[in-house]
């Protein structure tokens, strides 16, 4: 074989190997849900060390995503593990094609929470080596769902990362009222952690100072009303930086570290 053809073959094989190394490790399936009465796009990404170990891992649940987004979050999680000592995590993404936004009635949220509690979490913890520690991460419209989950089912997850586009006035009224009611039973919130994030000036947010003031006050409300049983933090970002997931790094560092 001529030398130039041999060289091309070697380069081709190297390119294939590189692409395979860069390919997603997400395992996708489409199980039926009796609660949601539809099939769910389910995506699971195991930690890099999973196959070679017998340890148990915390699980990060990420609603309303694609397999590419699950892979990106898993890569970021591994990076934070190596650089900052946060735990390696099993990343579980779902997409049920129902918008988890505040404009809809609570029944949409409640049904999805029931699905998480009664179907998804038990199936994941039965199939994989899970430590029992769970984090819920919601971005964009599902950021509000993450906050709703904390106030409605506080023991379902240990940590919550809620990154939302804006904090509308009706969001503030709804969640402040929900928090005041839910936190009357503050013991249920013991050792829960939530990180709230927003983006300064994005998505026609023309009242940045009020949004920041309201969200800062809300984070303080969660801590004070719970008797500091909830560890809460709010941070506004000027831009998303290198990550397409606002506040994920800061949020995972906050909810995954020991203590408060």
């Amino acid at each position: 074989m001529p030398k130039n053809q041999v060289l091309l073959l070697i380069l081709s094989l190297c390119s294939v190997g590189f692409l395979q190394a860069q390919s997603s490790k997400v395992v996708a399936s489409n199980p039926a849900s009796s609660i949601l009465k539809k099939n769910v796009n389910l995506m699971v990404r195991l930690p890099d060390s999973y196959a070679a170990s017998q340890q148990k891992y915390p699980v990060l649940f990420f609603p309303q995503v694609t397999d590419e987004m699950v892979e990106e979050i898993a890569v970021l999680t591994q990076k934070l593990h190596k650089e900052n000592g946060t735990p390696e995590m099993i990343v579980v993404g779902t997409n049920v094609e129902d918008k988890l936004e505040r404009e809809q009635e609570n029944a949409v949220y409640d049904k999805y929470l029931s699905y998480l509690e009664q179907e998804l979490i038990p199936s994941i913890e039965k199939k994989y080596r899970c430590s029992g520690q769970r984090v819920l991460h919601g971005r964009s419209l599902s950021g509000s769902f993450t906050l709703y989950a904390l106030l409605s089912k506080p023991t379902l997850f240990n940590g919550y990362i809620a990154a939302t586009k804006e904090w509308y006035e009706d969001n503030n009224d709804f969640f402040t009222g929900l928090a005041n009611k839910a936190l009357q039973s503050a013991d249920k919130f013991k050792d829960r952690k939530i990180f709230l994030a927003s983006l300064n000036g994005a998505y026609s947010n023309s009242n940045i100072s009020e949004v920041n003031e309201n969200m800062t006050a809300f984070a303080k409300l969660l801590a004070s009303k719970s008797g500091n049983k909830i560890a809460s933090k709010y941070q506004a970002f000027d831009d998303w930086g290198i990550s397409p997931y606002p506040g994920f790094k800061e949020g995972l560092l906050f909810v995954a570290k020991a203590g408060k």
Side-chain angles (χ1 to χ4, degrees), residues 47-117:
D48 292 346
S49 67
Y50 188 91
S53 77
Q54 290 301 314
Q55 74 181 82
K56 295 182 178 180
Y57 298 85
V59 184
L60 173 67
F61 291 87
F62 194 10
Q64 302 303 77
V65 292
T66 63
D67 55 352
E68 291 87 357
M69 294 165 70
V70 171
E71 179 66 18
E72 288 171 351
I73 281 291
V75 170
L76 287 172
T77 301
Q78 287 289 148
K79 180 177 169 58
L80 288 173
H81 167 69
K82 292 176 181 178
E83 295 180 355
N84 301 94
T86 55
E88 288 186 281
M89 307 182 82
I90 298 170
V91 181
V92 177
T94 59
N95 194 324
V96 295
E97 299 177 355
D98 289 330
K99 290 185 177 181
L100 297 172
E101 54 185 300
R102 207 30 283 128
E103 284 79 0
Q104 295 182 334
E105 295 181 0
N106 295 351
V108 176
Y109 280 2
D110 291 333
K111 184 182 289 188
Y112 190 75
L113 275 174
S114 295
Y115 160 70
L116 291 176
E117 182 177 29

Side-chain angles (χ1 to χ4, degrees), residues 9-19:
L9 177 60
I10 293 172
L11 291 173
S12 176
L13 290 172
C14 289
S15 297
V16 170
F18 176 78
L19 291 173

Side-chain angles (χ1 to χ4, degrees), residues 150-215:
L150 167 69
L151 297 172
S152 302
K153 294 276 187 179
T155 60
L156 197 55
F157 300 92
N158 305 89
Y160 300 78
I161 304 171
T164 185
K165 290 180 178 181
E166 300 177 58
W167 186 256
Y168 298 104
E169 185 177 348
D170 58 345
N171 281 49
N172 191 64
D173 293 341
F174 174 82
F175 284 115
T176 298
L178 187 61
N180 282 321
K181 182 178 179 180
L183 291 170
Q184 292 177 13
S185 302
D187 288 342
K188 296 179 180 179
F189 295 86
K190 189 177 187 305
D191 298 327
R192 304 302 100 171
K193 297 180 179 181
I194 183 165
F195 184 88
L196 299 160
S198 69
L199 181 62
N200 283 331
Y203 309 104
S204 72
N205 177 6
S206 59
N207 201 350
I208 299 171
S209 60
E210 183 178 345
V211 169
N212 287 338
E213 182 180 343
N214 285 341
M215 292 195 74

Side-chain angles (χ1 to χ4, degrees), residues 132-157:
Q133 297 293 304
R134 309 181 198 115
V135 174
L136 179 63
H137 172 42
R139 64 187 287 274
S140 191
L141 295 174
S142 59
S144 291
F145 168 76
T146 302
L147 183 52
Y148 183 86
L150 167 69
L151 297 172
S152 302
K153 294 276 187 179
T155 60
L156 197 55
F157 300 92

Side-chain angles (χ1 to χ4, degrees), residues 1-13:
M1 182 181 292
K3 289 184 178 180
N4 61 337
Q5 291 185 5
V6 173
L7 180 59
L8 288 173
L9 177 60
I10 293 172
L11 291 173
S12 176
L13 290 172

